[in-house]
Amino acid sequence: MKRASPDLPRAKMRKINIAFDVDGTLRCNCTDNCQDANYNIVALFNILSGFKNIELWVWSAGGADRARKFAKLYNLPVKQSHCISKLDNRSYDMDIAIDDIQDTALARINLIVRQK
């Protein structure tokens, strides 16, 4: 294992919680019934899953079952326990929320997708 230079600042690795919304973010919002993925956002989810210090979440205002449905449909590498209702977000401490609603304030940092 490669060791950091002794001159660099050191700290214990901290987990970063990142939540992805379903509708309009992971899922195309062209119609209410469309189940097509927003491929760039799904690709970002998959890329982030390769980081040691990132915990990924899928949430939906439609509830945890909807989050699980689309996580499974898109083969997202996420724990079932990390598929949650967005309406219960106060129970979770998210560092970053990725959403399509521009005035959302669900985490410390809110990244708004440009999918519409």
Side-chain angles (χ1 to χ4, degrees):
M1 181 165 77
K2 198 173 193 179
R3 302 284 298 171
S5 167
D7 297 338
L8 296 176
R10 302 293 299 235
K12 183 178 177 187
M13 184 175 69
R14 181 174 92 67
K15 290 282 185 182
I16 307 295
N17 289 302
I18 303 176
F20 283 74
D21 177 47
V22 172
D23 297 319
T25 305
L26 289 166
R27 180 188 74 81
C28 174
N29 233 10
C30 61
T31 69
D32 289 342
N33 297 324
C34 182
Q35 294 189 3
D36 293 346
N38 279 326
Y39 295 106
N40 289 339
I41 305 304
V42 170
L44 175 62
F45 191 102
N46 286 313
I47 290 167
L48 291 173
S49 74
F51 287 75
K52 285 185 194 181
N53 65 326
I54 291 179
E55 287 284 329
L56 292 174
W57 300 75
V58 176
W59 64 15
S60 174
D65 288 340
R66 186 167 181 79
R68 278 189 286 279
K69 172 186 173 180
F70 284 94
K72 183 177 180 181
L73 181 66
Y74 301 148
N75 282 328
L76 299 178
V78 63
K79 300 174 192 170
Q80 289 298 299
S81 63
H82 282 54
C83 294
I84 60 175
S85 171
K86 189 193 291 188
L87 303 178
D88 294 336
N89 76 61
R90 288 180 176 84
S91 304
Y92 302 93
D93 188 23
M94 295 300 167
D95 297 295
I96 300 171
I98 300 176
D99 205 291
D100 64 315
I101 301 172
Q102 64 190 25
D103 61 351
T104 191
L106 298 168
R108 286 186 231 1
I109 297 170
N110 298 280
L111 302 177
I112 311 306
V113 300
R114 189 177 304 183
Q115 297 296 319
K116 293 182 178 180

